[in-house]
Amino acid sequence: MPDGTLHKPVLIEEFLRLATPFSGSWVDCTYGDGGYSNAISAAGADQVYAIDCDPDAVRRGRLRNGAAAITLAQGRFGDFDRLPELREARPFDGVIFDLGVSSMQFDQAERGFSFRLDGPLDMRMQRQGKSAADIVNGADEASLAEIFFRYGEEKSARRIARAVVQSRRRAMIDTTGQLANLVQDCLPRQAERRIHPATRVFQALRIAVNDELVQLVKGLEAAERSLRTGGRLAVISFHSLEDRIVKRFLKGDAGSGNRHMPVRSETVRFDAITKRAVRPSPSEIAANPRSRSAKLRVASRTLARAKPVDAGRVGLPRLAGPGIS
């Protein structure tokens, strides 16, 4: 999970080097603590439109951000180009997404994102709608297993879902500590684990609560609609589901032709600046262990007309049904 608030933003030097030039207007779709917005503004952008769905992040940013060159807007980035503050400002010269959870959210026990800090099982970035506790205590066993498997790529999804259902019959599961301990207890013990046993379950629940992957696809579509020709799109992702979607989205129609009917250049909507994902350096990982799974991809918008995303083609997981009472 990302740590872009108490330390410098993840992959910031690589982003500034690869996404140049910084001029005109940029959109920071995931403001957090403002690290990327401030860096983009300092690098030469005339105007930065910063978006966050978390009202706390927007409130903090407005209180401390005196720069007229940074405009904050509250909303989900899936439709950022339709927010009132941005609707008339298109086209943009650059768009960046720093996906996942900010340190401010992750390190506050009361937000419920961390299995290492005991707090209410919440995980709602917007502080409204169904919480993680609602899903854990209300979804049927099959739906829980599907969430854990599809969104968390958890191999023991069925076993964990079964344990959750059995446990909640005795008492509601309403804290992060309860859920983390339950997951840890129902999995085989290993002498050394690279990650905590509950990591994938917490990731899956967070994605489900905030509809993160659907928002990512919608946000990428909005970026495609909104970027001027030559404009930069940069995405920093933190797990394979996100990166797979971004990679396939940027590839678009490229590679779908054959030697008899090659892909026409006007159908390729992004030219890759990074031929493969850029990873953090060993020194950055040592300074900020949360950056270890980060991947940066940067591309340049072409002249091709924007078109809706084929969700199946970009690898968006589909759940059979919520099964939540």
PDB file of all heavy atoms in Angstrom, residues 71-110:
ATOM      1  N   THR A  71      -5.954  23.853  -7.409  1.00  0.00           N
ATOM      2  CA  THR A  71      -7.380  23.914  -7.109  1.00  0.00           C
ATOM      3  C   THR A  71      -7.841  22.546  -6.639  1.00  0.00           C
ATOM      4  O   THR A  71      -7.687  21.561  -7.367  1.00  0.00           O
ATOM      5  CB  THR A  71      -8.183  24.316  -8.361  1.00  0.00           C
ATOM      6  OG1 THR A  71      -7.756  25.602  -8.804  1.00  0.00           O
ATOM      7  CG2 THR A  71      -9.676  24.335  -8.062  1.00  0.00           C
ATOM      8  N   LEU A  72      -8.404  22.459  -5.444  1.00  0.00           N
ATOM      9  CA  LEU A  72      -8.869  21.183  -4.904  1.00  0.00           C
ATOM     10  C   LEU A  72     -10.344  20.982  -5.172  1.00  0.00           C
ATOM     11  O   LEU A  72     -11.142  21.925  -5.095  1.00  0.00           O
ATOM     12  CB  LEU A  72      -8.607  21.109  -3.404  1.00  0.00           C
ATOM     13  CG  LEU A  72      -7.182  20.720  -3.032  1.00  0.00           C
ATOM     14  CD1 LEU A  72      -6.455  21.877  -2.414  1.00  0.00           C
ATOM     15  CD2 LEU A  72      -7.173  19.517  -2.105  1.00  0.00           C
ATOM     16  N   ALA A  73     -10.699  19.737  -5.473  1.00  0.00           N
ATOM     17  CA  ALA A  73     -12.086  19.368  -5.710  1.00  0.00           C
ATOM     18  C   ALA A  73     -12.368  18.030  -5.044  1.00  0.00           C
ATOM     19  O   ALA A  73     -11.534  17.122  -5.100  1.00  0.00           O
ATOM     20  CB  ALA A  73     -12.371  19.270  -7.206  1.00  0.00           C
ATOM     21  N   GLN A  74     -13.523  17.924  -4.396  1.00  0.00           N
ATOM     22  CA  GLN A  74     -13.901  16.657  -3.770  1.00  0.00           C
ATOM     23  C   GLN A  74     -14.772  15.859  -4.730  1.00  0.00           C
ATOM     24  O   GLN A  74     -15.736  16.373  -5.301  1.00  0.00           O
ATOM     25  CB  GLN A  74     -14.659  16.887  -2.475  1.00  0.00           C
ATOM     26  CG  GLN A  74     -14.988  15.589  -1.748  1.00  0.00           C
ATOM     27  CD  GLN A  74     -15.694  15.814  -0.421  1.00  0.00           C
ATOM     28  OE1 GLN A  74     -15.548  16.880   0.188  1.00  0.00           O
ATOM     29  NE2 GLN A  74     -16.453  14.837   0.022  1.00  0.00           N
ATOM     30  N   GLY A  75     -14.417  14.595  -4.914  1.00  0.00           N
ATOM     31  CA  GLY A  75     -15.199  13.732  -5.779  1.00  0.00           C
ATOM     32  C   GLY A  75     -14.425  12.480  -6.137  1.00  0.00           C
ATOM     33  O   GLY A  75     -13.236  12.368  -5.841  1.00  0.00           O
ATOM     34  N   ARG A  76     -15.092  11.544  -6.785  1.00  0.00           N
ATOM     35  CA  ARG A  76     -14.447  10.315  -7.218  1.00  0.00           C
ATOM     36  C   ARG A  76     -13.787  10.554  -8.575  1.00  0.00           C
ATOM     37  O   ARG A  76     -14.368  11.174  -9.453  1.00  0.00           O
ATOM     38  CB  ARG A  76     -15.464   9.183  -7.302  1.00  0.00           C
ATOM     39  CG  ARG A  76     -16.233   8.985  -6.006  1.00  0.00           C
ATOM     40  CD  ARG A  76     -17.051   7.717  -6.018  1.00  0.00           C
ATOM     41  NE  ARG A  76     -16.198   6.558  -5.761  1.00  0.00           N
ATOM     42  CZ  ARG A  76     -16.660   5.310  -5.645  1.00  0.00           C
ATOM     43  NH1 ARG A  76     -17.949   5.078  -5.792  1.00  0.00           N
ATOM     44  NH2 ARG A  76     -15.843   4.320  -5.409  1.00  0.00           N
ATOM     45  N   PHE A  77     -12.578  10.037  -8.721  1.00  0.00           N
ATOM     46  CA  PHE A  77     -11.839  10.353  -9.941  1.00  0.00           C
ATOM     47  C   PHE A  77     -12.385   9.650 -11.176  1.00  0.00           C
ATOM     48  O   PHE A  77     -11.973   9.951 -12.293  1.00  0.00           O
ATOM     49  CB  PHE A  77     -10.340  10.096  -9.777  1.00  0.00           C
ATOM     50  CG  PHE A  77      -9.947   8.664  -9.490  1.00  0.00           C
ATOM     51  CD1 PHE A  77     -10.149   7.653 -10.416  1.00  0.00           C
ATOM     52  CD2 PHE A  77      -9.324   8.342  -8.294  1.00  0.00           C
ATOM     53  CE1 PHE A  77      -9.757   6.353 -10.165  1.00  0.00           C
ATOM     54  CE2 PHE A  77      -8.921   7.039  -8.033  1.00  0.00           C
ATOM     55  CZ  PHE A  77      -9.138   6.041  -8.970  1.00  0.00           C
ATOM     56  N   GLY A  78     -13.320   8.711 -11.000  1.00  0.00           N
ATOM     57  CA  GLY A  78     -13.898   8.033 -12.149  1.00  0.00           C
ATOM     58  C   GLY A  78     -14.585   8.972 -13.127  1.00  0.00           C
ATOM     59  O   GLY A  78     -14.675   8.678 -14.319  1.00  0.00           O
ATOM     60  N   ASP A  79     -15.058  10.110 -12.648  1.00  0.00           N
ATOM     61  CA  ASP A  79     -15.709  11.096 -13.515  1.00  0.00           C
ATOM     62  C   ASP A  79     -15.083  12.468 -13.317  1.00  0.00           C
ATOM     63  O   ASP A  79     -15.778  13.486 -13.324  1.00  0.00           O
ATOM     64  CB  ASP A  79     -17.214  11.158 -13.213  1.00  0.00           C
ATOM     65  CG  ASP A  79     -17.917   9.835 -13.482  1.00  0.00           C
ATOM     66  OD1 ASP A  79     -17.847   9.375 -14.633  1.00  0.00           O
ATOM     67  OD2 ASP A  79     -18.505   9.263 -12.551  1.00  0.00           O
ATOM     68  N   PHE A  80     -13.757  12.502 -13.171  1.00  0.00           N
ATOM     69  CA  PHE A  80     -13.120  13.760 -12.791  1.00  0.00           C
ATOM     70  C   PHE A  80     -13.361  14.872 -13.801  1.00  0.00           C
ATOM     71  O   PHE A  80     -13.461  16.049 -13.452  1.00  0.00           O
ATOM     72  CB  PHE A  80     -11.622  13.569 -12.538  1.00  0.00           C
ATOM     73  CG  PHE A  80     -10.775  13.404 -13.773  1.00  0.00           C
ATOM     74  CD1 PHE A  80     -10.379  14.505 -14.520  1.00  0.00           C
ATOM     75  CD2 PHE A  80     -10.342  12.156 -14.180  1.00  0.00           C
ATOM     76  CE1 PHE A  80      -9.588  14.363 -15.648  1.00  0.00           C
ATOM     77  CE2 PHE A  80      -9.547  11.994 -15.296  1.00  0.00           C
ATOM     78  CZ  PHE A  80      -9.166  13.108 -16.038  1.00  0.00           C
ATOM     79  N   ASP A  81     -13.475  14.528 -15.066  1.00  0.00           N
ATOM     80  CA  ASP A  81     -13.642  15.576 -16.077  1.00  0.00           C
ATOM     81  C   ASP A  81     -15.036  16.189 -16.053  1.00  0.00           C
ATOM     82  O   ASP A  81     -15.293  17.179 -16.745  1.00  0.00           O
ATOM     83  CB  ASP A  81     -13.325  15.029 -17.473  1.00  0.00           C
ATOM     84  CG  ASP A  81     -14.212  13.858 -17.877  1.00  0.00           C
ATOM     85  OD1 ASP A  81     -14.702  13.140 -16.984  1.00  0.00           O
ATOM     86  OD2 ASP A  81     -14.421  13.670 -19.089  1.00  0.00           O
ATOM     87  N   ARG A  82     -15.935  15.604 -15.261  1.00  0.00           N
ATOM     88  CA  ARG A  82     -17.289  16.149 -15.158  1.00  0.00           C
ATOM     89  C   ARG A  82     -17.520  16.915 -13.855  1.00  0.00           C
ATOM     90  O   ARG A  82     -18.611  17.428 -13.632  1.00  0.00           O
ATOM     91  CB  ARG A  82     -18.310  15.012 -15.300  1.00  0.00           C
ATOM     92  CG  ARG A  82     -18.259  14.327 -16.671  1.00  0.00           C
ATOM     93  CD  ARG A  82     -19.405  13.346 -16.843  1.00  0.00           C
ATOM     94  NE  ARG A  82     -19.440  12.811 -18.197  1.00  0.00           N
ATOM     95  CZ  ARG A  82     -19.016  11.606 -18.543  1.00  0.00           C
ATOM     96  NH1 ARG A  82     -18.529  10.801 -17.619  1.00  0.00           N
ATOM     97  NH2 ARG A  82     -19.080  11.183 -19.786  1.00  0.00           N
ATOM     98  N   LEU A  83     -16.504  16.960 -12.987  1.00  0.00           N
ATOM     99  CA  LEU A  83     -16.631  17.749 -11.766  1.00  0.00           C
ATOM    100  C   LEU A  83     -16.717  19.234 -12.134  1.00  0.00           C
ATOM    101  O   LEU A  83     -16.065  19.681 -13.077  1.00  0.00           O
ATOM    102  CB  LEU A  83     -15.435  17.512 -10.846  1.00  0.00           C
ATOM    103  CG  LEU A  83     -15.307  16.105 -10.244  1.00  0.00           C
ATOM    104  CD1 LEU A  83     -14.012  15.988  -9.452  1.00  0.00           C
ATOM    105  CD2 LEU A  83     -16.498  15.791  -9.342  1.00  0.00           C
ATOM    106  N   PRO A  84     -17.514  20.010 -11.388  1.00  0.00           N
ATOM    107  CA  PRO A  84     -17.710  21.425 -11.757  1.00  0.00           C
ATOM    108  C   PRO A  84     -16.404  22.198 -11.894  1.00  0.00           C
ATOM    109  O   PRO A  84     -16.260  23.039 -12.787  1.00  0.00           O
ATOM    110  CB  PRO A  84     -18.560  21.963 -10.597  1.00  0.00           C
ATOM    111  CG  PRO A  84     -19.277  20.769 -10.064  1.00  0.00           C
ATOM    112  CD  PRO A  84     -18.343  19.613 -10.237  1.00  0.00           C
ATOM    113  N   GLU A  85     -15.429  21.914 -10.998  1.00  0.00           N
ATOM    114  CA  GLU A  85     -14.176  22.663 -11.029  1.00  0.00           C
ATOM    115  C   GLU A  85     -13.337  22.361 -12.273  1.00  0.00           C
ATOM    116  O   GLU A  85     -12.446  23.138 -12.636  1.00  0.00           O
ATOM    117  CB  GLU A  85     -13.338  22.345  -9.775  1.00  0.00           C
ATOM    118  CG  GLU A  85     -13.968  22.788  -8.468  1.00  0.00           C
ATOM    119  CD  GLU A  85     -14.873  21.724  -7.853  1.00  0.00           C
ATOM    120  OE1 GLU A  85     -15.313  20.800  -8.587  1.00  0.00           O
ATOM    121  OE2 GLU A  85     -15.142  21.815  -6.651  1.00  0.00           O
ATOM    122  N   LEU A  86     -13.594  21.209 -12.938  1.00  0.00           N
ATOM    123  CA  LEU A  86     -12.753  20.782 -14.044  1.00  0.00           C
ATOM    124  C   LEU A  86     -13.470  20.764 -15.397  1.00  0.00           C
ATOM    125  O   LEU A  86     -12.824  20.699 -16.437  1.00  0.00           O
ATOM    126  CB  LEU A  86     -12.197  19.376 -13.784  1.00  0.00           C
ATOM    127  CG  LEU A  86     -11.037  19.245 -12.798  1.00  0.00           C
ATOM    128  CD1 LEU A  86     -11.512  19.370 -11.360  1.00  0.00           C
ATOM    129  CD2 LEU A  86     -10.314  17.926 -12.984  1.00  0.00           C
ATOM    130  N   ARG A  87     -14.779  20.818 -15.364  1.00  0.00           N
ATOM    131  CA  ARG A  87     -15.569  20.566 -16.572  1.00  0.00           C
ATOM    132  C   ARG A  87     -15.196  21.498 -17.716  1.00  0.00           C
ATOM    133  O   ARG A  87     -15.107  21.084 -18.866  1.00  0.00           O
ATOM    134  CB  ARG A  87     -17.055  20.696 -16.228  1.00  0.00           C
ATOM    135  CG  ARG A  87     -17.983  20.115 -17.273  1.00  0.00           C
ATOM    136  CD  ARG A  87     -19.368  19.922 -16.686  1.00  0.00           C
ATOM    137  NE  ARG A  87     -19.800  21.050 -15.878  1.00  0.00           N
ATOM    138  CZ  ARG A  87     -20.454  20.931 -14.723  1.00  0.00           C
ATOM    139  NH1 ARG A  87     -20.740  19.730 -14.254  1.00  0.00           N
ATOM    140  NH2 ARG A  87     -20.826  21.993 -14.041  1.00  0.00           N
ATOM    141  N   GLU A  88     -14.957  22.765 -17.412  1.00  0.00           N
ATOM    142  CA  GLU A  88     -14.671  23.742 -18.463  1.00  0.00           C
ATOM    143  C   GLU A  88     -13.170  23.939 -18.690  1.00  0.00           C
ATOM    144  O   GLU A  88     -12.775  24.786 -19.496  1.00  0.00           O
ATOM    145  CB  GLU A  88     -15.313  25.085 -18.101  1.00  0.00           C
ATOM    146  CG  GLU A  88     -16.819  25.016 -17.875  1.00  0.00           C
ATOM    147  CD  GLU A  88     -17.569  24.477 -19.082  1.00  0.00           C
ATOM    148  OE1 GLU A  88     -17.175  24.820 -20.213  1.00  0.00           O
ATOM    149  OE2 GLU A  88     -18.548  23.718 -18.900  1.00  0.00           O
ATOM    150  N   ALA A  89     -12.343  23.180 -17.964  1.00  0.00           N
ATOM    151  CA  ALA A  89     -10.894  23.399 -18.042  1.00  0.00           C
ATOM    152  C   ALA A  89     -10.203  22.501 -19.058  1.00  0.00           C
ATOM    153  O   ALA A  89      -9.014  22.657 -19.313  1.00  0.00           O
ATOM    154  CB  ALA A  89     -10.261  23.186 -16.668  1.00  0.00           C
ATOM    155  N   ARG A  90     -10.912  21.541 -19.616  1.00  0.00           N
ATOM    156  CA  ARG A  90     -10.306  20.642 -20.598  1.00  0.00           C
ATOM    157  C   ARG A  90      -9.938  21.401 -21.883  1.00  0.00           C
ATOM    158  O   ARG A  90     -10.579  22.406 -22.191  1.00  0.00           O
ATOM    159  CB  ARG A  90     -11.285  19.502 -20.930  1.00  0.00           C
ATOM    160  CG  ARG A  90     -11.603  18.591 -19.781  1.00  0.00           C
ATOM    161  CD  ARG A  90     -12.538  17.474 -20.198  1.00  0.00           C
ATOM    162  NE  ARG A  90     -13.840  17.981 -20.659  1.00  0.00           N
ATOM    163  CZ  ARG A  90     -14.778  17.230 -21.243  1.00  0.00           C
ATOM    164  NH1 ARG A  90     -14.565  15.947 -21.452  1.00  0.00           N
ATOM    165  NH2 ARG A  90     -15.916  17.763 -21.635  1.00  0.00           N
ATOM    166  N   PRO A  91      -8.962  20.875 -22.639  1.00  0.00           N
ATOM    167  CA  PRO A  91      -8.171  19.656 -22.410  1.00  0.00           C
ATOM    168  C   PRO A  91      -7.003  19.920 -21.456  1.00  0.00           C
ATOM    169  O   PRO A  91      -6.592  21.061 -21.256  1.00  0.00           O
ATOM    170  CB  PRO A  91      -7.674  19.307 -23.801  1.00  0.00           C
ATOM    171  CG  PRO A  91      -7.526  20.633 -24.480  1.00  0.00           C
ATOM    172  CD  PRO A  91      -8.657  21.481 -23.955  1.00  0.00           C
ATOM    173  N   PHE A  92      -6.475  18.818 -20.884  1.00  0.00           N
ATOM    174  CA  PHE A  92      -5.382  18.919 -19.923  1.00  0.00           C
ATOM    175  C   PHE A  92      -4.074  18.454 -20.553  1.00  0.00           C
ATOM    176  O   PHE A  92      -4.051  17.680 -21.508  1.00  0.00           O
ATOM    177  CB  PHE A  92      -5.701  18.075 -18.685  1.00  0.00           C
ATOM    178  CG  PHE A  92      -6.964  18.489 -17.991  1.00  0.00           C
ATOM    179  CD1 PHE A  92      -8.090  17.673 -17.999  1.00  0.00           C
ATOM    180  CD2 PHE A  92      -7.040  19.702 -17.334  1.00  0.00           C
ATOM    181  CE1 PHE A  92      -9.266  18.050 -17.367  1.00  0.00           C
ATOM    182  CE2 PHE A  92      -8.208  20.102 -16.700  1.00  0.00           C
ATOM    183  CZ  PHE A  92      -9.324  19.275 -16.713  1.00  0.00           C
ATOM    184  N   ASP A  93      -2.986  18.936 -19.963  1.00  0.00           N
ATOM    185  CA  ASP A  93      -1.651  18.567 -20.448  1.00  0.00           C
ATOM    186  C   ASP A  93      -1.108  17.329 -19.754  1.00  0.00           C
ATOM    187  O   ASP A  93      -0.136  16.735 -20.236  1.00  0.00           O
ATOM    188  CB  ASP A  93      -0.689  19.734 -20.241  1.00  0.00           C
ATOM    189  CG  ASP A  93      -1.075  20.933 -21.092  1.00  0.00           C
ATOM    190  OD1 ASP A  93      -0.630  21.006 -22.246  1.00  0.00           O
ATOM    191  OD2 ASP A  93      -1.848  21.777 -20.599  1.00  0.00           O
ATOM    192  N   GLY A  94      -1.702  16.950 -18.655  1.00  0.00           N
ATOM    193  CA  GLY A  94      -1.245  15.750 -17.965  1.00  0.00           C
ATOM    194  C   GLY A  94      -2.232  15.308 -16.903  1.00  0.00           C
ATOM    195  O   GLY A  94      -2.994  16.123 -16.360  1.00  0.00           O
ATOM    196  N   VAL A  95      -2.236  14.005 -16.634  1.00  0.00           N
ATOM    197  CA  VAL A  95      -3.085  13.413 -15.591  1.00  0.00           C
ATOM    198  C   VAL A  95      -2.257  12.370 -14.865  1.00  0.00           C
ATOM    199  O   VAL A  95      -1.568  11.565 -15.502  1.00  0.00           O
ATOM    200  CB  VAL A  95      -4.344  12.741 -16.191  1.00  0.00           C
ATOM    201  CG1 VAL A  95      -5.150  12.042 -15.090  1.00  0.00           C
ATOM    202  CG2 VAL A  95      -5.210  13.753 -16.917  1.00  0.00           C
ATOM    203  N   ILE A  96      -2.320  12.374 -13.533  1.00  0.00           N
ATOM    204  CA  ILE A  96      -1.632  11.356 -12.747  1.00  0.00           C
ATOM    205  C   ILE A  96      -2.595  10.698 -11.774  1.00  0.00           C
ATOM    206  O   ILE A  96      -3.460  11.369 -11.186  1.00  0.00           O
ATOM    207  CB  ILE A  96      -0.423  11.936 -11.977  1.00  0.00           C
ATOM    208  CG1 ILE A  96       0.258  10.811 -11.170  1.00  0.00           C
ATOM    209  CG2 ILE A  96      -0.813  13.112 -11.094  1.00  0.00           C
ATOM    210  CD1 ILE A  96       1.548  11.199 -10.504  1.00  0.00           C
ATOM    211  N   PHE A  97      -2.457   9.382 -11.623  1.00  0.00           N
ATOM    212  CA  PHE A  97      -3.176   8.599 -10.623  1.00  0.00           C
ATOM    213  C   PHE A  97      -2.136   7.940  -9.720  1.00  0.00           C
ATOM    214  O   PHE A  97      -1.247   7.236 -10.206  1.00  0.00           O
ATOM    215  CB  PHE A  97      -3.996   7.473 -11.265  1.00  0.00           C
ATOM    216  CG  PHE A  97      -5.110   7.930 -12.160  1.00  0.00           C
ATOM    217  CD1 PHE A  97      -4.868   8.232 -13.497  1.00  0.00           C
ATOM    218  CD2 PHE A  97      -6.407   8.026 -11.689  1.00  0.00           C
ATOM    219  CE1 PHE A  97      -5.881   8.630 -14.341  1.00  0.00           C
ATOM    220  CE2 PHE A  97      -7.445   8.421 -12.526  1.00  0.00           C
ATOM    221  CZ  PHE A  97      -7.175   8.727 -13.853  1.00  0.00           C
ATOM    222  N   ASP A  98      -2.256   8.162  -8.417  1.00  0.00           N
ATOM    223  CA  ASP A  98      -1.450   7.442  -7.421  1.00  0.00           C
ATOM    224  C   ASP A  98      -2.448   6.600  -6.632  1.00  0.00           C
ATOM    225  O   ASP A  98      -3.080   7.074  -5.700  1.00  0.00           O
ATOM    226  CB  ASP A  98      -0.720   8.434  -6.514  1.00  0.00           C
ATOM    227  CG  ASP A  98       0.010   7.755  -5.374  1.00  0.00           C
ATOM    228  OD1 ASP A  98       0.396   6.585  -5.531  1.00  0.00           O
ATOM    229  OD2 ASP A  98       0.182   8.387  -4.314  1.00  0.00           O
ATOM    230  N   LEU A  99      -2.597   5.352  -7.024  1.00  0.00           N
ATOM    231  CA  LEU A  99      -3.706   4.523  -6.554  1.00  0.00           C
ATOM    232  C   LEU A  99      -3.490   4.003  -5.141  1.00  0.00           C
ATOM    233  O   LEU A  99      -2.373   3.989  -4.626  1.00  0.00           O
ATOM    234  CB  LEU A  99      -3.924   3.361  -7.526  1.00  0.00           C
ATOM    235  CG  LEU A  99      -4.149   3.770  -8.989  1.00  0.00           C
ATOM    236  CD1 LEU A  99      -4.184   2.545  -9.885  1.00  0.00           C
ATOM    237  CD2 LEU A  99      -5.427   4.582  -9.134  1.00  0.00           C
ATOM    238  N   GLY A 100      -4.571   3.533  -4.530  1.00  0.00           N
ATOM    239  CA  GLY A 100      -4.480   2.893  -3.225  1.00  0.00           C
ATOM    240  C   GLY A 100      -4.834   3.816  -2.076  1.00  0.00           C
ATOM    241  O   GLY A 100      -5.592   4.775  -2.232  1.00  0.00           O
ATOM    242  N   VAL A 101      -4.235   3.528  -0.930  1.00  0.00           N
ATOM    243  CA  VAL A 101      -4.556   4.227   0.311  1.00  0.00           C
ATOM    244  C   VAL A 101      -3.421   5.162   0.679  1.00  0.00           C
ATOM    245  O   VAL A 101      -2.251   4.796   0.590  1.00  0.00           O
ATOM    246  CB  VAL A 101      -4.760   3.213   1.462  1.00  0.00           C
ATOM    247  CG1 VAL A 101      -5.169   3.914   2.749  1.00  0.00           C
ATOM    248  CG2 VAL A 101      -5.802   2.186   1.068  1.00  0.00           C
ATOM    249  N   SER A 102      -3.751   6.364   1.105  1.00  0.00           N
ATOM    250  CA  SER A 102      -2.717   7.290   1.555  1.00  0.00           C
ATOM    251  C   SER A 102      -2.299   6.933   2.976  1.00  0.00           C
ATOM    252  O   SER A 102      -3.018   6.244   3.706  1.00  0.00           O
ATOM    253  CB  SER A 102      -3.242   8.730   1.524  1.00  0.00           C
ATOM    254  OG  SER A 102      -4.132   8.957   2.605  1.00  0.00           O
ATOM    255  N   SER A 103      -1.143   7.411   3.376  1.00  0.00           N
ATOM    256  CA  SER A 103      -0.667   7.128   4.732  1.00  0.00           C
ATOM    257  C   SER A 103      -1.588   7.713   5.786  1.00  0.00           C
ATOM    258  O   SER A 103      -1.750   7.142   6.865  1.00  0.00           O
ATOM    259  CB  SER A 103       0.751   7.673   4.928  1.00  0.00           C
ATOM    260  OG  SER A 103       1.687   6.834   4.330  1.00  0.00           O
ATOM    261  N   MET A 104      -2.174   8.865   5.486  1.00  0.00           N
ATOM    262  CA  MET A 104      -3.087   9.454   6.465  1.00  0.00           C
ATOM    263  C   MET A 104      -4.253   8.519   6.739  1.00  0.00           C
ATOM    264  O   MET A 104      -4.674   8.350   7.888  1.00  0.00           O
ATOM    265  CB  MET A 104      -3.606  10.807   5.956  1.00  0.00           C
ATOM    266  CG  MET A 104      -2.569  11.892   5.940  1.00  0.00           C
ATOM    267  SD  MET A 104      -3.230  13.412   5.218  1.00  0.00           S
ATOM    268  CE  MET A 104      -3.505  12.884   3.530  1.00  0.00           C
ATOM    269  N   GLN A 105      -4.764   7.892   5.697  1.00  0.00           N
ATOM    270  CA  GLN A 105      -5.851   6.928   5.880  1.00  0.00           C
ATOM    271  C   GLN A 105      -5.330   5.651   6.524  1.00  0.00           C
ATOM    272  O   GLN A 105      -5.920   5.119   7.470  1.00  0.00           O
ATOM    273  CB  GLN A 105      -6.487   6.607   4.527  1.00  0.00           C
ATOM    274  CG  GLN A 105      -7.180   7.775   3.864  1.00  0.00           C
ATOM    275  CD  GLN A 105      -7.489   7.512   2.399  1.00  0.00           C
ATOM    276  OE1 GLN A 105      -6.760   6.813   1.703  1.00  0.00           O
ATOM    277  NE2 GLN A 105      -8.577   8.080   1.913  1.00  0.00           N
ATOM    278  N   PHE A 106      -4.220   5.157   6.005  1.00  0.00           N
ATOM    279  CA  PHE A 106      -3.690   3.869   6.447  1.00  0.00           C
ATOM    280  C   PHE A 106      -3.242   3.899   7.907  1.00  0.00           C
ATOM    281  O   PHE A 106      -3.379   2.902   8.621  1.00  0.00           O
ATOM    282  CB  PHE A 106      -2.518   3.483   5.539  1.00  0.00           C
ATOM    283  CG  PHE A 106      -2.076   2.060   5.686  1.00  0.00           C
ATOM    284  CD1 PHE A 106      -2.873   1.024   5.228  1.00  0.00           C
ATOM    285  CD2 PHE A 106      -0.855   1.750   6.260  1.00  0.00           C
ATOM    286  CE1 PHE A 106      -2.469  -0.298   5.362  1.00  0.00           C
ATOM    287  CE2 PHE A 106      -0.444   0.437   6.393  1.00  0.00           C
ATOM    288  CZ  PHE A 106      -1.245  -0.587   5.942  1.00  0.00           C
ATOM    289  N   ASP A 107      -2.699   5.020   8.347  1.00  0.00           N
ATOM    290  CA  ASP A 107      -2.123   5.101   9.690  1.00  0.00           C
ATOM    291  C   ASP A 107      -3.092   5.615  10.744  1.00  0.00           C
ATOM    292  O   ASP A 107      -2.694   5.814  11.889  1.00  0.00           O
ATOM    293  CB  ASP A 107      -0.866   5.977   9.659  1.00  0.00           C
ATOM    294  CG  ASP A 107       0.277   5.321   8.899  1.00  0.00           C
ATOM    295  OD1 ASP A 107       0.284   4.074   8.796  1.00  0.00           O
ATOM    296  OD2 ASP A 107       1.157   6.045   8.401  1.00  0.00           O
ATOM    297  N   GLN A 108      -4.339   5.829  10.364  1.00  0.00           N
ATOM    298  CA  GLN A 108      -5.354   6.222  11.347  1.00  0.00           C
ATOM    299  C   GLN A 108      -6.219   5.012  11.660  1.00  0.00           C
ATOM    300  O   GLN A 108      -6.992   4.545  10.821  1.00  0.00           O
ATOM    301  CB  GLN A 108      -6.219   7.361  10.804  1.00  0.00           C
ATOM    302  CG  GLN A 108      -5.464   8.676  10.640  1.00  0.00           C
ATOM    303  CD  GLN A 108      -6.323   9.757  10.025  1.00  0.00           C
ATOM    304  OE1 GLN A 108      -7.209   9.492   9.211  1.00  0.00           O
ATOM    305  NE2 GLN A 108      -6.071  10.997  10.406  1.00  0.00           N
ATOM    306  N   ALA A 109      -6.084   4.499  12.873  1.00  0.00           N
ATOM    307  CA  ALA A 109      -6.796   3.276  13.250  1.00  0.00           C
ATOM    308  C   ALA A 109      -8.299   3.401  13.040  1.00  0.00           C
ATOM    309  O   ALA A 109      -8.965   2.433  12.656  1.00  0.00           O
ATOM    310  CB  ALA A 109      -6.482   2.923  14.710  1.00  0.00           C
ATOM    311  N   GLU A 110      -8.839   4.600  13.266  1.00  0.00           N
ATOM    312  CA  GLU A 110     -10.291   4.775  13.176  1.00  0.00           C
ATOM    313  C   GLU A 110     -10.816   4.667  11.741  1.00  0.00           C
ATOM    314  O   GLU A 110     -12.021   4.503  11.547  1.00  0.00           O
ATOM    315  CB  GLU A 110     -10.698   6.120  13.778  1.00  0.00           C
ATOM    316  CG  GLU A 110     -10.208   7.346  13.039  1.00  0.00           C
ATOM    317  CD  GLU A 110      -8.851   7.830  13.516  1.00  0.00           C
ATOM    318  OE1 GLU A 110      -8.125   7.025  14.147  1.00  0.00           O
ATOM    319  OE2 GLU A 110      -8.510   9.000  13.254  1.00  0.00           O
TER     320      GLU A 110
END
